[in-house]
Amino acid sequence: MRLYAIGDLHVGHKQNREALEELTPHPGDGLILCGDIGETMPHLTLVFETATACFDYVFWVPGNHELYTMPDSRQPQGEGKYQECLALARSFGILTPEDPYMRWEGEGGPCIIAPIFTLYDYSFRPAHVSREGALAWAEEENIMATDEALLHPDPYPSRDAWCDKLVSRTEERLQEAAANGIPLIIINHWPLREDLVFIPLIPRFSLWCGTKKTEDWHLRFKAKVVINGHLHVRRTDWIDGVRFEECSLGYPRQWVDAKASGLDINGLLREILPGPPAPLSGNAPTQWRRWG
């Protein structure tokens, strides 16, 4: 029983759908899908069918793309879209942020697998930029997330308010899980820490990358590994003895170097458990994983 992770499959792109077709069976193993696998129910169905055919255990957390309501799609918005995705995942036996956390007894365990959903609240910004001025600050560099048009917060008054509700509810669940004394594997689409956001071509996109309210969750909730996607920058970090894994595949142009080096989607799965040994100091320089 090994546990792997990948995110940001974006199967709306033909090349990524073709890559998914190459996924090979992993009997007895588990796979984490850490968000942004697609925008539509057919996209999610394709990924869920493929993942559950290849792995015995599958975990999924939503990214911003799953929450999109496309124009004229007649799909629900906001919480309604999330519930629609949850129902589809559960129909495949996939564990979601709304299900009881699973105790993992495979290699590297025991651990508690904790899929979560936090969204973002625009707080990943410099101290001199106010919340009211945040979008204008991003627009100064011609940056504006598609979320502003397609990710609706219904029934909440704003994405900030939805994020606040999600964070409060998730804190309670993680606190209860951590009380058992078993290390947690925390899975989220968005990074929990602002210092893990490194996107030099679009630095002000940080607004849509998380919330400062989760900064210390790796310590508060006794995490062994924290997993995210969203940034499309594969990396491994060790902070305070906790391993942080960014596991994105990304858009076709963003994994072309890995493909050119001979890796297919199987080579880009990140092993979470048992995973590499921890550094003696508990901290280590970032390992950039552009090629895998």
Side-chain angles (χ1 to χ4, degrees):
M1 287 178 67
R2 290 175 178 258
L3 182 64
Y4 298 89
I6 195 165
D8 300 77
L9 292 173
H10 292 289
V11 295
H13 293 267
K14 179 176 181 288
Q15 298 96 317
N16 286 16
R17 289 195 302 276
E18 293 171 346
L20 182 67
E21 293 173 357
E22 299 178 0
L23 191 64
T24 58
H26 285 253
D29 293 340
L31 178 65
I32 292 163
L33 299 168
C34 48
D36 275 12
I37 60 179
E39 294 81 21
T40 68
M41 291 301 109
H43 290 163
L44 271 64
T45 298
L46 172 64
V47 175
F48 291 161
E49 283 180 341
T50 305
T52 54
C54 292
F55 288 83
D56 286 10
Y57 309 93
V58 179
F59 308 85
W60 166 80
V61 295
N64 48 312
H65 281 248
E66 281 95 338
L67 302 174
Y68 284 177
T69 299
M70 308 308 288
D72 303 321
S73 68
R74 298 186 179 179
Q75 285 186 309
Q77 297 185 167
E79 179 72 26
K81 180 66 185 295
Y82 177 45
Q83 292 299 324
E84 187 175 64
C85 294
L86 286 174
L88 182 62
R90 286 166 168 168
S91 73
F92 285 93
I94 293 172
L95 294 176
T96 78
E98 306 305 320
D99 296 312
Y101 296 154
M102 174 184 171
R103 177 174 170 132
W104 182 264
E105 298 287 0
E107 293 189 62
C111 292
I112 301 297
I113 310 298
I116 68 172
F117 170 35
T118 61
L119 206 58
Y120 53 83
D121 61 3
Y122 305 86
S123 59
F124 284 1
R125 62 180 192 271
H128 72 274
V129 178
S130 67
R131 171 62 186 95
E132 293 73 21
L135 293 184
W137 172 73
E139 284 187 300
E140 288 174 0
E141 298 291 335
N142 297 314
I143 295 171
M144 185 56 58
T146 305
D147 294 19
E148 296 299 315
L150 298 181
L151 201 168
H152 305 278
D154 311 35
Y156 302 94
S158 64
R159 298 174 195 86
D160 313 51
W162 192 4
C163 173
D164 185 61
K165 180 69 173 180
L166 291 167
V167 166
S168 296
R169 187 174 65 194
T170 303
E171 278 182 312
E172 294 176 1
R173 294 195 65 199
L174 292 177
Q175 188 69 55
E176 182 180 355
N180 293 321
I182 301 172
L184 267 59
I185 308 297
I186 300 178
I187 307 160
N188 195 33
H189 178 65
W190 294 270
L192 298 190
R193 295 173 57 90
E194 186 177 12
D195 58 3
L196 295 176
V197 179
F198 180 72
I199 38 178
L201 295 180
I202 47 170
R204 298 191 184 188
F205 190 79
S206 63
L207 290 180
W208 296 274
C209 290
T211 170
K212 291 182 178 179
K213 295 174 181 176
T214 61
E215 182 83 9
D216 64 349
W217 281 16
H218 66 295
L219 292 177
R220 284 180 59 195
F221 304 125
K222 303 178 178 63
K224 180 173 183 175
V225 188
V226 178
I227 305 157
N228 69 272
H230 191 58
L231 303 177
H232 297 195
V233 180
R234 289 182 296 279
R235 59 186 285 179
T236 301
D237 294 88
W238 290 90
I239 302 172
D240 303 319
V242 178
R243 178 160 49 102
F244 289 78
E245 296 279 11
E246 208 282 359
C247 299
S248 301
L249 178 66
Y251 300 126
R253 68 180 184 277
Q254 294 168 326
W255 60 280
V256 66
D257 290 334
K259 185 176 181 179
S261 71
L263 293 180
D264 63 6
I265 191 171
N266 299 287
L268 291 171
L269 298 179
R270 185 62 177 167
E271 183 181 287
I272 303 303
L273 293 176
L280 294 178
S281 68
N283 296 278
T286 298
Q287 176 191 357
W288 302 100
R289 295 189 287 101
R290 182 176 181 180
W291 286 275

